[in-house]
Amino acid sequence: MTRYIFVTGGVMSGIGKGIATASIASLLEERGYNTTAVKIDPYINVDAGTMNPVEHGEVFVTEDGLECDQDIGNYERFLHKNILKANYMTTGLVYKTVIENERALKYDGKCVEVVPHIPEEVIRRIKLAGKKSKADFVLIEIGGTIGEYQNILYLEAGRMLKIQNPGAVIFVIVSYLPVPSSLGEMKTKPTQYAVRTLNSAGLQPDIIIARSSSPIDEPRKKKLSVFCNVAAEDIISAPDVKSIYEVPINFERDQLTQRILKKFGIAARKNGHTPWVKLLKKISLAKKEVKIGIVGKYFDTGKFVLKDSYISVIEAIKHAAWSLNLKPEIQWINALDYETKPRLVKELKEYAGLIVPGGFGSRAVEGKIKAINFARENKIPFLGLCYGMQLATVEFARNAAKLAKAHTTEINPKTPHPVIHILPEQEKNLEKGDLGGSMRLGAYRCRLAKDTIAQKAYGKNLISERHRHRYEVNNSYRAKLEKAGLTFSGLNPDRNLVEIIELRNHPFFVGTQFHPELKSRPFEPHPLFVEFVKAASKSKK
Ligand code: GLN
């Protein structure tokens, strides 16, 4: 029997609903239940691939090649397993399926209506995700907050699923309790309203997760209990934490797993041993700092700085650093500054290691290339991810192989030296204007060359990593670049595409066409990140 836990959000977004969902899933796993998590995004976009990271955060990519929300990355990191395509849906995708079904006469001549056909398709997808991962529990996180017009059909799906499966569905609301500085008191009213909104959709929360700057106290628990119709024991304290990996431990302080199992009338299959306690201990013991700079461009929204765009990169640095007993100090560097004020690039010598992550388009490209040049010439450990690798190839071509004006055709289609050019099948996609979900996506194999940094890091010859790109290294320049000292240490064995570049006379200079950050996990740091952080820690004493 599969059981379903819907996780909704109240009051405001960005309070850690994804981490709460991932944490509950990991706690149920620890109690011996096979668990998976589904993310629902209420957008018309068919997947997350067409959204700018500044709008929507990082675009995560699954093994089977879906561009999805960053929360899928959180689920993978907390559950320590791959989450596949079936576990993500958007409003656009759901509608697309229903419309395609209608065109294929799959509704037997019925009038196809928003209700029930849309929620039924949502339910079909939720069940499919559970079936594919043979889950005892499926957590379903509904993006955004309740009360948003675009979420109603998902709440409706939850309500219908509950009627169909009595005793097998519960609802959790992750809500925010502000402590206005002018009052100095935690306020419960916004959460009361949020619960009432859920009630008006025909749903009653079984559990309230009370997010706030500090733990919720007894008087406020009682108040919420009375006004929201939820037992005080089912109100779980969720104060701000330093590390997201503290969240499951905090939940257990209020016995969340036990409360959930009780609602379903079942017992734990084994006693959770909470690997998170061990991880937190490791984090707290890491004292020696290593300062890593991420040179990117998806940071600003008005006056605020976002780091969500590079969440997997940030997590991968942390995982690697902790595994080496180091304390990562991560800073965001806006590459645009090096275009307007090139002399600023010297500030990069303060960093023990530099990462240029993935990206698209021309904005800040020359700034990134300046940063890469600085890292190469000043022997600062460097890791280039996807676009970072392509731009490292451009920099090397221009300045080391003396191919002046070398570029990627993504930016300059007329460059005399197109060292990075479009993949043949991608050219057709661009011509057709087929730009959604059409990149080279998901896991592909890569063969590593003997005696290279890459091969030593992985400790094997054949690996598989996740991709998201349209452009690649132009094979007709390989000989020239090799002659100038660039090593192609990883190639795709099926199509002879360059997957990894590196430099020999440098403490650590590696670029990957794939995104290693997507596969890093807290208990299984990625080998390339580990070697990079190790080199960084040696570069600055
Ligand atoms: N814009 C580059 C490409 O499409 C790199 C993509 C990326 O960094 N994910 O190939």
Side-chain angles (χ1 to χ4, degrees):
M1 174 179 175
T2 310
R3 294 174 173 87
Y4 304 91
I5 303 173
F6 281 84
V7 181
T8 60
V11 180
M12 64 186 203
S13 66
I15 53 170
K17 199 155 27 82
I19 299 297
T21 305
S23 299
I24 298 172
S26 94
L27 289 167
L28 288 165
E29 275 287 312
E30 281 174 41
R31 301 299 160 108
Y33 288 98
N34 190 18
T35 305
T36 195
V38 169
K39 175 75 195 261
I40 295 177
D41 266 340
Y43 308 111
I44 297 295
N45 303 62
V46 173
D47 57 40
T50 52
M51 282 184 263
N52 186 318
V54 175
E55 289 270 320
H56 186 247
E58 168 190 88
V59 177
F60 195 77
V61 183
T62 60
E63 278 289 295
D64 54 354
L66 182 76
E67 295 168 287
C68 57
D69 182 70
Q70 56 177 335
D71 274 326
I72 299 287
N74 287 324
Y75 304 163
E76 289 202 347
R77 289 185 280 270
F78 274 79
L79 282 171
H80 210 283
K81 54 183 163 190
N82 290 341
I83 302 285
L84 299 177
K85 229 183 213 164
N87 288 41
Y88 181 66
M89 70 182 101
T90 65
T91 298
L93 182 63
V94 171
Y95 269 85
K96 189 167 172 263
T97 314
V98 172
I99 292 169
E100 279 166 5
N101 286 344
E102 184 274 331
R103 294 287 81 186
L105 274 179
K106 288 198 182 149
Y107 293 103
D108 296 330
K110 278 209 187 80
C111 172
V112 183
E113 299 188 84
V114 171
V115 181
H117 294 104
I118 297 295
E120 274 173 3
E121 173 58 20
V122 173
I123 291 173
R124 185 192 69 80
R125 286 176 175 273
I126 292 170
K127 285 187 173 164
L128 183 70
K131 202 165 148 201
K132 286 212 163 169
S133 39
K134 299 190 179 70
D136 301 309
F137 282 102
V138 183
L139 278 104
I140 306 109
E141 180 190 347
I142 304 179
T145 45
I146 42 169
E148 281 170 42
Y149 179 73
Q150 49 183 8
N151 278 344
I152 290 170
L153 291 170
Y154 299 110
L155 298 178
E156 190 66 4
R159 195 185 59 79
M160 283 162 63
L161 187 67
K162 189 170 175 172
I163 298 174
Q164 293 163 12
N165 299 267
V169 180
I170 68 164
F171 292 89
V172 174
I173 179 170
V174 181
S175 192
Y176 189 67
L177 293 96
V179 184
S181 55
S182 54
L183 297 178
E185 184 200 336
M186 187 185 288
K187 302 303 280 181
T188 63
K189 193 74 84 198
T191 297
Q192 295 176 34
Y193 284 129
V195 169
R196 237 174 259 171
T197 310
L198 201 55
N199 291 155
S200 64
L203 300 172
Q204 168 62 36
D206 296 279
I207 285 169
I208 297 176
I209 294 186
R211 279 284 295 116
S212 189
S213 49
S214 51
I216 180 169
D217 59 0
E218 284 310 311
R220 275 150 202 88
K221 261 193 188 180
K222 278 204 188 110
K223 205 174 203 175
L224 272 188
S225 169
V226 171
F227 286 100
C228 301
N229 212 7
V230 170
E233 303 84 70
D234 292 326
I235 297 168
I236 308 296
S237 195
D240 287 349
V241 281
K242 273 213 206 92
S243 165
I244 51 173
Y245 302 112
E246 273 176 60
V247 173
I249 299 171
N250 266 347
F251 283 177
E252 276 315 82
R253 287 207 178 102
D254 279 356
Q255 299 181 315
L256 175 60
T257 329
Q258 210 177 310
R259 299 302 303 170
I260 290 176
L261 293 177
K262 199 167 167 216
K263 299 216 175 280
F264 288 112
I266 53 177
R269 285 183 181 157
K270 66 174 201 206
N271 270 333
H273 61 284
T274 317
W276 308 113
V277 176
K278 237 165 98 185
L279 180 70
L280 286 183
K281 177 120 196 258
K282 212 169 164 52
I283 296 173
S284 71
L285 289 178
K287 298 270 188 268
K288 191 182 158 211
E289 276 189 5
V290 56
K291 189 170 165 186
I292 306 290
I294 300 179
V295 186
K297 68 164 177 177
Y298 300 124
F299 294 122
D300 317 316
T301 59
K303 281 193 180 153
F304 300 94
V305 174
L306 272 186
K307 48 187 187 188
D308 262 16
S309 314
Y310 301 111
I311 185 83
S312 291
V313 179
I314 292 168
E315 287 303 305
I317 298 169
K318 289 180 183 169
H319 304 158
W322 295 332
S323 79
L324 297 163
N325 296 316
L326 295 166
K327 187 177 173 184
E329 199 205 314
I330 304 168
Q331 302 219 349
W332 346 117
I333 304 161
N334 197 334
L336 214 51
D337 294 344
Y338 301 142
E339 285 186 7
T340 45
K341 298 177 214 99
R343 272 201 272 139
L344 275 184
V345 79
K346 280 197 212 110
E347 72 185 17
L348 292 179
K349 65 177 185 304
E350 300 302 320
Y351 292 85
L354 291 170
I355 291 183
V356 175
F360 295 83
S362 60
R363 195 166 64 89
V365 153
E366 291 303 325
K368 288 182 192 172
I369 292 176
K370 281 198 176 69
I372 296 168
N373 175 262
F374 192 85
R376 185 172 63 80
E377 289 184 345
N378 294 281
K379 306 240 186 281
I380 301 173
F382 167 80
L383 183 59
L385 309 170
C386 203
Y387 212 17
M389 171 272 203
Q390 296 176 354
L391 296 177
T393 307
V394 169
E395 189 283 318
F396 187 85
R398 286 182 189 174
N399 302 315
K402 301 288 166 240
L403 301 169
K405 297 196 180 142
H407 219 322
T408 159
T409 56
E410 178 174 355
I411 308 306
N412 180 7
K414 297 212 173 82
T415 165
H417 298 295
V419 289
I420 305 293
H421 69 170
I422 190 127
L423 283 153
E425 71 275 18
Q426 290 299 333
E427 194 151 23
K428 294 198 188 95
N429 289 339
L430 289 191
E431 275 164 20
K432 279 188 283 179
D434 182 6
L435 300 178
S438 63
M439 283 187 237
R440 182 169 176 249
L441 293 170
Y444 287 96
R445 298 190 304 160
C446 166
R447 190 177 299 288
L448 305 175
K450 286 223 160 54
D451 296 324
T452 55
I453 302 176
Q455 196 230 10
K456 281 183 206 147
Y458 281 95
K460 46 184 165 178
N461 301 325
L462 194 64
I463 56 157
S464 166
E465 291 281 1
R466 296 187 201 168
H467 298 70
R468 180 174 184 246
H469 64 119
R470 290 190 205 282
Y471 297 80
E472 58 160 337
V473 171
N474 185 343
N475 279 342
S476 56
Y477 279 90
R478 252 159 73 181
K480 272 197 192 108
L481 295 171
E482 249 170 347
K483 212 166 145 222
L486 194 64
T487 303
F488 297 99
S489 51
L491 296 175
N492 173 276
D494 308 305
R495 292 180 60 184
N496 193 29
L497 301 176
V498 171
E499 295 280 6
I500 312 179
I501 59 164
E502 55 183 76
L503 284 178
R504 283 182 198 277
N505 299 315
H506 194 285
F508 187 98
F509 192 101
V510 174
T512 62
Q513 182 56 75
F514 50 81
H515 291 271
E517 71 273 19
L518 301 179
K519 283 176 71 169
S520 175
R521 312 252 163 100
F523 301 106
E524 203 182 314
H526 193 284
L528 285 179
F529 276 87
V530 173
E531 288 312 309
F532 163 70
V533 174
K534 204 187 276 171
S537 76
K538 285 185 197 148
S539 78
K540 285 253 176 328
K541 287 278 179 293

